[in-house]
Amino acid sequence: MEESEIIAMHALEAIQAEIPMSDGAAKEMLRDIQIFSLILKYSFAEYSGFTVAEIASRIQYFKGIRPDPDDPEGFLDQMVDASDPEANIPGSGKSIYDNFVVIQDMITDQLYFVQLDVNLRELSPEVLCGRSLNYIASIILRQRGLPFGMSRDYKGLKPIKALWILPLSHRLGVWEGEFRTGWSGCPDDYITELNGLVENMIEWKVVFLNHGWHNSDEEIIQVLGHLFDTETEETIEYLKKEGIKMTRQIPGVVQEYYKKYGRPFVTLSDEANENYILMKQEVVRKDEEIKSMIEKIALLEAELAKLKGSR
């Protein structure tokens, strides 16, 4: 075996080893086509203002799934089969992206390669940067093997959009990576075109999410907060309001996620879980006390009214 192949195998195993097992349910939920379309709607400007169904209708390829134009409803209800060889790295049998999608622009014929990943553990800047750039590079390379990608001479390379979701972060907000170009001489039409092509090729965002998401004005944070940090019924109601059809997959996926891991912001440790349970019990107790006090006040007000009426 060539040394480069050994290094590549070790790197892939290292990447896989860093993914905690608890990520499984989160990744499974985000493999639904409608949920992906909802996240895309609030993540990238090209898709804002369109419905989930409209965005989903522009998907050309969903990491192993190609839509059937004759059965659009069936396509909405499909999820990625992680065992599908098309969903994995060729020759390795291991999946590297949580989502890999080819989707058309809502107005033009432009195709985008979109990578979406979620990790329930906040990665160090070095790991997050390295892993993200590795995935982006892999998508660029993979385009050469797909009919809607680039040709052997690299013509037709499609722009890439990358989105990372870190639901258990110590910070809250959206980080956007920028790829800048420059020219030391006097620009001409060639340089202007080159700059424009390069600067628009990669759009990279990271959403940091925590329990303070309710107070954020960022729409994508509201979407992900409802997905990861609300009760099952509330999540499903929110998805309905956003135009997601409750196909046979959606409720099951959401319920399975919460059944396994509950609300992720309280699964950081056993101590955090215990504190959350105690806090919830205290809230219930306080609510009962307040309810009892309201009832007593109502009785006192009634008695006072009687006394005033008897004078």
Side-chain angles (χ1 to χ4, degrees):
M1 183 179 292
E2 295 290 335
E3 183 179 359
S4 59
E5 294 180 6
I6 297 174
I7 293 173
M9 288 179 61
H10 289 173
L12 179 60
E13 290 172 0
I15 289 170
Q16 296 296 321
E18 289 170 359
I19 300 177
M21 293 301 292
S22 58
D23 276 1
K27 296 177 187 297
E28 190 72 17
M29 182 163 64
L30 297 178
R31 279 199 284 264
D32 184 273
I33 289 168
Q34 291 190 90
I35 290 178
F36 169 84
S37 298
L38 176 64
I39 293 172
L40 192 65
K41 173 180 179 177
Y42 290 109
S43 300
F44 300 105
E46 291 86 351
Y47 301 98
S48 64
F50 296 92
T51 67
V52 168
E54 287 171 335
I55 295 170
S57 71
R58 293 299 178 112
I59 293 175
Q60 308 294 309
Y61 179 89
F62 194 85
K63 193 183 173 185
I65 299 174
R66 288 183 174 85
D68 180 0
D70 297 328
D71 186 15
E73 294 295 318
F75 176 59
L76 291 179
D77 202 29
Q78 292 192 58
M79 295 179 67
V80 171
D81 178 4
S83 65
D84 188 333
E86 287 195 65
N88 299 327
I89 299 176
S92 72
K94 294 183 179 180
S95 177
I96 189 169
Y97 317 107
D98 293 347
N99 290 81
F100 167 57
V101 178
V102 180
I103 185 168
Q104 188 179 14
D105 186 271
M106 299 304 296
I107 305 298
T108 71
D109 293 333
Q110 176 67 59
L111 293 179
Y112 300 98
F113 279 60
V114 182
Q115 167 223 326
L116 185 151
D117 285 88
V118 60
N119 201 303
L120 293 188
R121 181 165 60 97
E122 186 165 287
L123 305 171
S124 69
E126 181 182 12
V127 170
L128 179 58
C129 179
R131 191 183 293 181
S132 296
L133 292 175
N134 178 48
Y135 289 8
I136 290 170
S138 298
I139 290 179
I140 292 174
L141 181 61
R142 187 173 185 185
Q143 286 195 39
R144 295 181 64 174
L146 294 175
F148 27 61
M150 61 183 174
S151 61
R152 283 286 175 182
D153 59 2
Y154 299 97
K155 289 182 179 179
L157 179 67
K158 305 301 187 297
I160 292 171
K161 297 181 183 297
L163 180 69
W164 277 80
I165 303 168
L166 302 178
L168 296 178
S169 176
H170 297 294
R171 53 192 57 80
L172 182 69
V174 180
W175 178 86
E176 298 187 31
E178 295 183 1
F179 293 81
R180 298 187 180 92
T181 62
W183 171 247
S184 59
C186 296
D188 55 23
D189 291 344
Y190 176 91
I191 297 301
T192 300
E193 182 180 357
L194 183 61
N195 284 342
L197 287 171
V198 173
E199 289 176 347
N200 294 321
M201 285 305 295
I202 298 175
E203 190 172 359
W204 174 23
K205 295 185 178 182
V206 181
V207 179
F208 297 92
L209 194 68
N210 61 29
H211 54 78
W213 65 270
H214 303 84
N215 302 319
S216 174
D217 294 329
E218 294 275 2
E219 289 181 311
I220 184 57
I221 287 179
Q222 288 298 313
V223 169
L224 296 174
H226 279 93
L227 280 173
F228 288 107
D229 191 38
T230 54
E231 302 297 334
T232 305
E233 294 79 8
E234 185 178 342
T235 299
I236 292 174
E237 285 305 310
Y238 176 79
L239 295 178
K240 286 181 180 179
K241 290 178 183 177
E242 287 292 335
I244 290 184
K245 296 182 179 181
M246 290 297 108
T247 60
R248 62 183 180 274
Q249 291 281 8
I250 293 281
V253 170
V254 173
Q255 290 168 6
E256 185 66 17
Y257 174 80
Y258 288 115
K259 183 175 73 175
K260 284 186 178 180
Y261 305 112
R263 298 172 63 191
F265 296 123
V266 295
T267 56
L268 288 173
S269 65
D270 291 338
E271 182 181 359
N273 269 323
E274 186 176 346
N275 289 339
Y276 173 71
I277 293 171
L278 292 174
M279 181 182 69
K280 204 164 187 177
Q281 291 174 344
E282 180 67 12
V283 169
V284 171
R285 189 180 67 80
K286 291 289 185 182
D287 285 343
E288 290 297 326
E289 287 182 1
I290 292 171
K291 183 179 178 181
S292 178
M293 290 175 65
I294 291 173
E295 292 173 350
K296 289 179 181 178
I297 291 172
L299 290 173
L300 290 173
E301 287 177 342
E303 290 180 9
L304 181 61
K306 287 180 181 179
L307 290 174
K308 288 181 177 179
S310 63
R311 289 180 181 175

